[in-house]
Amino acid sequence: MRKPIIGGNWKMNRGTPNETIEMLESLVPQVEGIDTVDIVIATPFTALTKAYEIIKDTNIKLGAQNMYFEDKGAFTGEISPQFLKEIGVEYVILGHSERRDIFKESDTLINKKLKKALSISLKPIVCIGEHLEEREAGKTMHKIEYQINETFKDLSKEEMRKIIIAYEPIWAIGTGKTATPEQAEEIHIFIRNLLSQKFDKETADSIRIQYGGSIKPINAEDLFNKKNIDGGLVGGASLQSDSLFQIILAADKSIK
Ligand code: PEP
């Protein structure tokens, strides 16, 4: 039985101290007592400390949207994973398509970051997914297989079991176009089968695979009802506590 996980990725859309206080002070009482779903909020770096003050004794965990793979040094503009740990960050999103496409992060770089996160017990949420042109050209599976091979290169089964995968078709991110539950489930099954071949069935069955791409309260339940979809990574709908709460409730309902 895999526990669903809902991650709210605020991107660079929210994160002033007032916005952080407003959103999280509203969310904390809404989700109080929910222990069937892991809840993670990934704020911009500048809001992490404020967010931690509000959520530290609650069932909401803190996530970062990125990190570098070195602890210290001359890396202007980068963020040390150790700094993140020290301020209460538990999860880190790695390889988001915006990092890959806009900031040209390669699978090799993401693999290095992933190994670093694992080595200091930050829980990685690793994003993979295809562009619209790749889907239309029938290359979705090929892309996913490539990303899995490269991003998860040289990891042990034990390491793999600590990772959360977010399948995010890039054409569905921030576009309002959600993959149908059937389209998403097809890829989730494909990912699980690949993990089973690459590692083993027990490992593949234990790994949580989130769906991401325009999840809203209206479509969340149908997605989460699919057997291989273990919650979601949510962008736009995570900016307001009411919509994120509805999505968390949908995940809670999917296991009952
Ligand atoms: C995301 O940022 O990972 C995402 C899925 O965004 P949205 O929900 O806005 O499509």
Side-chain angles (χ1 to χ4, degrees), residues 7-11 13 93 96-98 127 166-170 172-177 211-216 232-239:
N9 174 14
W10 288 6
K11 312 193 187 191
N13 288 319
I93 300 173
H96 190 282
S97 60
E98 287 148 20
C127 305
Y167 166 59
E168 301 206 301
I170 297 161
I173 298 179
T175 58
K177 279 189 217 158
Y211 165 79
S214 299
I215 299 183
K216 305 275 178 264
L233 188 56
V234 186
S238 75
L239 299 174

Side-chain angles (χ1 to χ4, degrees), residues 146-162:
Y146 183 83
Q147 286 185 321
I148 287 191
N149 285 337
E150 297 303 308
T151 310
F152 303 136
K153 208 178 205 142
D154 301 326
L155 293 185
S156 67
K157 285 179 208 167
E158 291 67 33
E159 287 174 317
M160 206 52 223
R161 285 176 198 195
K162 295 181 181 139

Side-chain angles (χ1 to χ4, degrees), residues 2-7 31 33-40 59-61 91 208 210 224 230-232 244-245 247-256:
R2 295 177 300 265
K3 188 175 185 181
I5 171 164
I6 300 295
V31 302
I34 297 181
D35 58 4
T36 48
V37 179
D38 283 334
I39 304 167
V40 181
N59 53 344
I60 304 173
K61 303 297 177 205
Y91 291 80
R208 293 183 289 180
Q210 300 176 300
F224 302 157
D230 308 309
L244 187 61
F245 176 48
I247 292 168
I248 292 165
L249 285 182
D252 173 62
K253 214 168 153 194
S254 73
I255 55 168
K256 291 187 170 149

